[in-house]
Amino acid sequence: MSELHRHLRTVARTALETLGLTAEQADAGLRLEPPKNKDHGDVALGAFQLAKAAGKAPPAFAAELAQRIPADDVIASATAAGPFVNFKFRRSALARDVVTAIAQSQAPYGPAAANGQTVCLDFSSPNIAKPFHIGHMRSTVIGNSLRRIHRHLGATVHGINHLGDWGMPFAKMMTAYMHWGNEQELAKAPMRYMFELYKRYSNEVKTNPGLDDEAARHFQALESGQDNQERRMWQFLRDESLKAFQGPYDRLGVTFDHITGESFFEDKMAAAMARVTAAGVLEKSEGAEIVDLKAQGIKAPCLLRKSDGTTLYHTRDLAAVFYREATFHPTRILYVVGAEQKLHFDQLKAVLQKMNEPIAAAVEHVPFGLVLSKTADGNWEKFASRAGNAVFLDEILDEAVAKVRQIIRDKNPDLPDADRIAEQVGVSAIVFNDLKNSRIKDVKFDWDSMLNFDGETGPYVQYACARLASILRKAEAPVPTPEQVDWTCLEDAERVLLTMLEFGTAVQRAADQSEPSHVTAHAIALAGEIHSYLRDHRVLDAEPPVRAARLLLVDAARRVLTTGLFLLGIPAPERM
Ligand code: ARG
């Protein structure tokens, strides 16, 4: 919380006590938020809960409260508007508190102290031996950002890659490899090669259904736990796939705390099944074992063991919940997985509820929409369906980088280190585009709009950072410290200052709602405010006290933008 917010709370609490509320009632109802309309004030307090505690109508209560809050050297005014009290800060106090907090990396501008939360973040989780598809890219990018956001807010975060390295899909791949695989071909381009094998299997199984029986037998052999041909093949394909994923992970700046795929739960499923049985919710149905969920409002039962004795995706997810509960004691378990798996996670949660497991409350599916690409006639279609081809993430990243490299060649041919910057900007353009809108919306994958340096894009925000860095470079002197600055010189920077003041709210909302787009929106807004400020205000050739204050403001804005980008998983180049 900022000094400004703290001050407001203290003053408001005192006023509320004179209005007859207890300290607890005051604390519980004191929610400060950015005002809907910036002309009304800098911070708004909705009086609904407080009025209720006082037994009064919100507008009347807001009016009484506003009257009891005197102006002081921080608060310029408190005025009621309907059920809200709007506060305005004195401009120099606003400048002092916001810029000092940023210069000192105080939370929320720097990492917060431990907040007591433990978040398990299940993300990326591609199926090995299958191409890393564009949906996995979304999960990777959203999850990576949420991981950074929760860490920043002081949570203990376990980023988990729940690889699809077990089960029938894997067994099919293995069967294909046993029939047609070739190690030299695989070594050349593992992902592409495995994808070809996968396609071949899907085609041949149409005329040769025996392949599926074979795959089922291989899976049984794999699940037998013996050291056999299947086990060795499994290890080999898993190692190769992981190596291949590392490339995109490195380029996206993604790391995991645990790479515990489905196979990790092989020896933990029996105990999970025993727990389901002990809870009395497991039923037999045509030789299979299921949990009926009709009473939970879900028609489809959750299948936990097939009639041939093998386990399923659900069985492993259930074992994973118990494992995570016992190992990490999470307050939240977030599954960043496409919206098409909604039923799967609804069922998982419902099984836990039916078992009366308290951990059910921690299970949260974080769904997201599809990636769409433009067709020749200007419509949008599901990305992966393009010519029935898979999407190789590395190739998309390469394409983005090549396009940015060309833009740099045209616009700034002398830029030093252009290749590195093209990589940073190209990859980030894709990431930013993915995180720009609320995650449940489909992402439109369109090169022109995502690489537009003047649009709401990654390059636009990165460019704002580079512009600020360039001013600081040209100043050729250390950035002034807050003690050296006359804050009245920043009274005309209120738009930039207020936007920076809202950073904490944006980050907190992103964490609460698993919605990095709040951080993206903040970065776009701040970049816009910076550009307008710099259009109207000179920094380097201003009078010395003004110059010092503006340089510190420039540095503060650069820090906030850089941190915002960092939380999105995006680097901020010093030059562009
Ligand atoms: N491997 C799965 C897929 O690609 C996603 C796994 C998500 N995580 C989980 N715990 N189920 O569809």
Side-chain angles (χ1 to χ4, degrees), residues 122 125-127 136 162 164 262 313 317 335 337 341 344-345:
D122 181 317
S125 311
N127 298 316
H136 293 125
H162 188 80
E262 293 185 41
Y313 183 42
D317 257 326
Y335 297 84
V337 186
Q341 290 193 29
H344 173 83
F345 290 102

Side-chain angles (χ1 to χ4, degrees), residues 200-333:
R200 180 158 177 195
Y201 183 100
S202 314
N203 275 328
E204 300 219 0
V205 77
K206 287 182 201 142
T207 51
N208 176 10
L211 276 175
D212 273 350
D213 302 330
E214 208 179 306
R217 275 199 306 281
H218 286 314
F219 185 45
Q220 266 177 327
L222 188 61
E223 281 216 311
S224 73
Q226 319 255 314
D227 180 14
N228 49 23
Q229 179 200 7
E230 282 81 3
R231 169 84 26 182
R232 284 188 295 275
M233 175 74 45
W234 170 78
Q235 189 68 51
F236 171 71
L237 290 175
R238 186 179 193 275
D239 291 349
E240 288 302 315
S241 302
L242 269 179
K243 262 190 264 164
F245 293 145
Q246 202 53 48
Y249 285 151
D250 287 344
R251 296 178 78 178
L252 291 166
V254 173
T255 54
F256 299 94
D257 305 293
H258 313 276
I259 300 189
T260 41
E262 293 185 41
S263 66
F264 180 78
F265 299 99
E266 188 196 353
D267 62 357
K268 299 171 183 64
M269 285 185 278
M273 289 301 278
R275 196 151 154 181
V276 186
T277 310
V281 304
L282 197 66
E283 294 173 30
K284 287 260 186 220
S285 165
E286 297 168 28
E289 289 173 345
I290 63 154
V291 179
D292 183 277
L293 298 171
K294 282 195 214 69
Q296 280 65 35
I298 300 176
K299 279 202 203 91
C302 178
L303 183 57
L304 290 175
R305 195 193 297 280
K306 290 211 258 182
S307 52
D308 67 1
T310 54
T311 58
L312 295 109
Y313 183 42
H314 260 134
T315 327
R316 290 180 280 286
D317 257 326
L318 196 62
V321 172
F322 294 142
Y323 172 80
R324 291 168 188 176
E325 177 185 35
T327 316
F328 307 125
H329 314 291
T331 33
R332 294 171 82 182
I333 309 180

Side-chain angles (χ1 to χ4, degrees), residues 98-112 152 559 563:
V98 171
V99 173
T100 305
I102 297 168
Q104 297 175 350
S105 272
Q106 290 171 19
Y109 305 106
H152 187 79
R559 284 166 179 257
T563 306

